[in-house]
Amino acid sequence: MSVVLVFLAVIAAIVIWWLSGQRMMSKPWMEVGTLDDIGGPAKPPIPTAKIGLGIFLAVVGALFSLLASAYLSRMSGADWWAMPVPRLLWANSAVLIASCAALQWAVVEARRAADDGLRLALDIALATAVLFLAGQVVAWLQLVAAGYVLADNPANSFFYMLTGLHGLHILGGLAVLARTRLRLLAGGTAASARLRLGVELCATYWHFMLVVWLLLFALFTGWANDFVDLCRQLVS
């Protein structure tokens, strides 16, 4: 239960930080201004896509938090045999971080209306995302070759389920990212508000999935278990 609270606290902090940047946490009835401000330029409404993405990420975060809680609870079973963490996962984590950095760069280039920089940043983000997924598949194959099959014990099943579910979310984000890149290839420009919004949404989604992956990686390596034990000691 404690890991759920920790995971949800991290997710909530990310969502609140993101919403604050979108002015969704503001209280307009408490803002102070003069009558002359009424005729000033109105602030643009928050795009529906951003609100939808925020809700979707909250649901995804809750799903992974429940699965992480089940993972830690199941570890106490007598039939649980921990499996080794492939070294390739370290490299895959670095690749996913690079993909997030490329997308953040794409956001900067889109706001600058720099088409060439945006193209390059999106290409790097796409290439590293595909490389991450390929690396995950290779890690699976390495484990299977070593005898760690899906139905061997619950630890294996949880590993394949969690990494597979995360990979499916990355694959879905990759499809949206590829569509954004094709829109730019078809004649779109960084000055387009629609294209800029698409890049920003992709970056937000990618950053979120990076946080999820790092937390999952902490589960697999045992770091999260040590943190939970520390929290229990502090509470007791």
Side-chain angles (χ1 to χ4, degrees):
M1 183 63 183
S2 58
V3 70
V4 175
L5 297 178
V6 172
F7 199 105
L8 289 179
V10 173
I11 299 301
I14 296 173
V15 172
I16 291 174
W17 170 79
W18 180 72
L19 292 179
S20 63
Q22 312 303 323
R23 289 186 54 81
M24 294 182 65
M25 305 296 291
S26 63
K27 300 177 181 180
W29 60 87
M30 297 182 63
E31 294 182 359
V32 179
T34 62
L35 292 177
D36 295 336
D37 296 335
I38 299 178
K43 295 180 180 178
I46 302 170
T48 305
K50 286 190 175 183
I51 300 176
L53 179 62
I55 296 174
F56 176 75
L57 294 183
V59 174
V60 172
L63 172 62
F64 276 103
S65 66
L66 291 175
L67 292 175
S69 177
Y71 179 94
L72 290 175
S73 298
R74 194 65 179 83
M75 286 179 63
S76 59
D79 57 346
W80 183 278
W81 298 293
M83 61 189 301
V85 177
R87 293 182 179 180
L88 185 58
L89 292 188
W90 291 89
N92 292 347
S93 301
V95 170
L96 187 57
I97 292 173
S99 187
C100 286
L103 267 175
Q104 188 60 40
W105 176 28
V107 171
V108 174
E109 295 299 316
R111 291 174 179 173
R112 292 177 55 244
D115 291 340
D116 293 339
L118 179 58
R119 292 190 189 95
L120 180 58
L122 290 179
D123 288 341
I124 295 176
L126 281 168
T128 48
V130 172
L131 184 60
F132 172 79
L133 290 176
Q136 295 294 81
V137 173
V138 172
W140 276 17
L141 295 177
Q142 290 178 347
L143 288 171
V144 172
Y148 297 95
V149 296
L150 176 65
D152 193 21
N153 78 86
N156 298 3
S157 301
F158 267 100
F159 177 85
Y160 289 118
M161 177 184 64
L162 289 172
T163 56
L165 185 60
H166 180 268
L168 286 176
H169 282 84
I170 291 292
L171 185 61
L174 184 61
V176 177
L177 182 58
R179 186 179 63 179
T180 302
R181 179 62 179 92
L182 289 176
R183 188 177 298 146
L184 184 62
L185 186 64
T189 64
S192 169
R194 182 181 179 185
L195 184 60
R196 192 184 314 117
L197 175 61
V199 172
E200 291 176 354
L201 293 178
C202 288
T204 301
Y205 182 83
W206 234 244
H207 296 336
F208 183 88
M209 295 312 301
L210 173 62
V211 173
V212 172
W213 169 250
L214 293 178
L215 292 175
L216 291 179
F217 191 58
L219 277 180
F220 302 143
T221 56
W223 297 342
N225 195 26
D226 296 338
F227 179 73
V228 171
D229 292 339
L230 177 61
C231 293
R232 289 173 178 171
Q233 294 175 4
L234 293 176
V235 172
S236 60

